[in-house]
């Protein structure tokens, strides 16, 4: 039997999973690490923490598996996107990594827009300048920490720092590099025009690979530390969402997935480059060679339900503890009793501002239509429906761009809810499915590793073989018609409130 390893370098923890060649989980290990917030709106992590977590978990899964080291053919790496890792001439970390959710770079985004028009940024990088993305962070360090920038010889993304640790190779791959705002996304290579405009030396950046290409092998000292063979290959891997797409089988046209975690994502595969000129959704290179994906993001998805549960559902929490069940199972039972539309109650899920389709940091949450007939169960259903309307906004933009989705996968915590999956199926007007496999990004990059070392002929064929459907939820025509009416009103509410949000934000 041959084996593959998938490593997922997340924000809260690194998870490493060893799979057999049929996609079965043989061993799994995870290790958490802290996030640092030295100032309001800042978010940093220590790359050395990721390194230790990866080395520890690699050793653990190998020792647990009982596999012979030469049977572990390849490793794939996934990770949080957009983080900035800077190394000096000796390959040592210069400063903590500024990670994806850091918001310190507003001035640098304005600088980027002054350097080059927004439309040109979208043409080249497929996205407008964004505070969370890597290019603005590089400019921030150059402006605010010139001594650190002067020492910098290598700029890497989080998972690519792990690649360097494992192989000694400075490299990245197209899906993760798409989130740096330095890549020519249509051309799948570094943009010399962007680098020249920003005055960033191309020598600081690693070589760009496709996600399933082999980038190196394990260093002898890493092999000795972990018990693995130095013949084990390391492939390009993928950013977390691109890896999750492979891990759920979203690798052909017409397929997409919706994740309802803290935030929500609608992610569609496309065999041709499709860019929204308004910059409402993100276009990036996909992990399948020669393809792309388009992604919309709603900020307050699962966060909205958790916020309501934490603040107003102590009775549900107490009853769940008493019965020994999941609190969300009790919530789902009561929500199911409320009709579609929550008896004319609409929730706007803008607790953290919004990205798609509004890109508005000032908008905030609203219950609209609240009356004396409404109960806590009505509000809970309205929250779930409001998140679903927001995700439908993302899907509508994909359709507007010519990306037709006829099969939607559901994942993340919210994807486990049959009620939420039915709402999505009704609003998308297509089937919403789950898969048996639950390892997501780790499985995705293990599949990429298997393609890279020749175990599978292609990403698409590997997914067809290894990933199987668990459940399917079909739209109900009558419910789709009801939700379409509510969704149209939902969309108008933002336009009606847009100026009021700005006024609210300006209040002292």
């Amino acid at each position: 039997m041959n084996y593959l390893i998938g490593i997922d370098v997340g924000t809260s923890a690194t998870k490493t999973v060893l799979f057999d060649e049929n996609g079965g989980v043989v061993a799994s290990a995870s290790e958490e690490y802290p996030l640092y917030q030295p100032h309001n709106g800042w978010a940093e992590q220590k790359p050395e923490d990721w390194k230790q977590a990866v080395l520890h978990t690699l050793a653990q899964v190998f020792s647990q598996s009982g596999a012979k080291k030469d049977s572990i053919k390849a490793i794939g790496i996934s990770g949080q996107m957009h983080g900035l890792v800077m190394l000096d001439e000796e390959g040592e970390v210069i400063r903590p990594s500024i990670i994806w959710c850091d918001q310190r770079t507003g001035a640098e985004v304005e600088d980027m827009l002054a350097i080059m028009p927004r439309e040109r940024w979208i043409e080249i990088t497929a996205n407008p300048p964004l505070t969370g993305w890597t290019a603005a962070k590089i400019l921030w360090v150059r402006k605010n920490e010139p001594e650190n920038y002067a020492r910098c010889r290598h700029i890497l993304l989080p998972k690519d720092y792990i690649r360097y640790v494992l192989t000694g190779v400075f490299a990245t791959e197209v899906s993760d590099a798409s989130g740096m705002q330095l890549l020519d996304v249509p051309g799948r290579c570094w943009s010399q025009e962007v680098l020249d405009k920003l005055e960033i030396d191309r020598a600081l950046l690693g070589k760009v690979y496709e996600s399933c290409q082999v980038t190196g092998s394990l260093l002898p000292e890493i092999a000795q530390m972990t018990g693995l063979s130095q013949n084990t290959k390391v492939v390009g891997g993928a950013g977390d969402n691109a890896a999750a797409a492979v891990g759920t089988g979203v690798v052909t046209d017409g397929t997409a997935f919706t994740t309802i975690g803290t935030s929500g994502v609608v992610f569609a595969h496309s065999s041709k480059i499709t860019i929204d000129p308004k910059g409402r959704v993100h276009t990036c290179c996909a992990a399948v060679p020669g393809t792309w994906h388009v992604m919309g993001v709603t900020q307050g998805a699962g966060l909205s339900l958790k916020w309501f549960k934490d603040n107003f559902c102590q009775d549900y929490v107490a009853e769940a503890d008493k019965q020994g069940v999941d609190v969300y199972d009790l919530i789902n039972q009561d929500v199911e009793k409320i009709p579609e539309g929550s008896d004319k109650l609409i929730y706007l899920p803008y607790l953290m501002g919004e990205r798609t389709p509004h890109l508005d940091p000032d908008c905030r949450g609203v219950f609209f239509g609240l009356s004396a007939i409404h109960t806590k169960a009505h509000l809970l259903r309205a929250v779930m429906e409001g998140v679903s309307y927001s995700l439908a906004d993302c899907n509508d933009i994909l359709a507007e761009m010519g990306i037709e989705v006829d099969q939607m996968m559901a994942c993340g915590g919210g994807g486990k809810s049959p009620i939420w999956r039915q709402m999505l199926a009704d609003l998308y007007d297509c089937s919403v499915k789950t898969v048996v496999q639950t390892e997501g990004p780790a499985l995705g990059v293990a599949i990429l590793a298997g393609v890279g070392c020749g175990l599978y002929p292609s990403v698409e064929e590997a997914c067809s073989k290894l990933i199987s459907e668990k459940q399917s939820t079909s739209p109900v025509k009558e419910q789709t018609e009801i939700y379409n009416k509510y969704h149209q009103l939902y969309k108008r509410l933002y336009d009606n409130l847009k100026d009021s949000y700005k006024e609210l934000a300006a209040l002292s």
Side-chain angles (χ1 to χ4, degrees), residues 16 38 51 58 116 156 169 250 281 337 347 363 386 393-394 435 442 451 481 489:
T16 299
K51 174 182 175 179
L58 275 175
M116 194 162 68
L156 297 171
V169 173
V250 177
V281 293
K337 300 170 186 173
Y347 169 72
C363 60
D393 281 347
C394 299
V435 296
V451 175
E481 291 172 353
L489 177 55

Side-chain angles (χ1 to χ4, degrees), residues 386-460:
V387 171
S388 302
Y389 297 141
S390 182
L391 293 166
D393 281 347
C394 299
N395 196 50
D396 286 350
I397 294 170
L398 301 185
E400 182 186 317
M401 295 167 65
I403 300 172
E404 295 297 334
V405 174
D406 52 36
Q407 181 174 295
M408 182 72 73
M409 312 306 296
C411 45
K416 298 174 184 176
S417 164
I419 306 297
W420 227 332
R421 292 199 303 270
Q422 186 65 60
M423 291 175 186
L424 294 176
D426 293 337
L427 275 157
Y428 295 157
D429 199 17
C430 75
S431 60
V432 172
K433 302 181 178 185
T434 61
V435 296
V436 172
Q437 293 72 21
T438 59
E439 295 298 344
L443 176 59
V445 290
I447 288 172
L448 296 173
V451 175
C453 71
L455 283 183
Y456 315 126
S458 69
V459 177
E460 296 93 331

Side-chain angles (χ1 to χ4, degrees), residues 221-275:
E221 59 267 32
I222 298 297
Q224 186 174 10
M225 259 188 270
T226 59
L228 298 169
S229 167
Q230 63 187 83
N231 294 321
T232 301
K233 307 296 184 189
V234 177
V235 302
D240 49 10
N241 280 302
V246 177
T248 50
V250 177
V251 294
T252 56
D253 285 352
T255 60
F257 73 78
T258 295
T259 296
I260 303 178
T262 302
S263 60
V265 170
V266 179
F267 177 115
H269 180 90
S270 179
S271 58
K272 64 179 187 295
I273 180 73
T274 311
I275 298 172

Side-chain angles (χ1 to χ4, degrees), residues 345-363:
L345 179 63
I346 296 176
Y347 169 72
L348 308 186
Y350 307 143
L351 298 184
M352 302 292 290
E354 191 54 293
R355 278 170 70 177
T356 304
H358 307 304
L359 204 59
D360 184 348
D362 294 327
C363 60

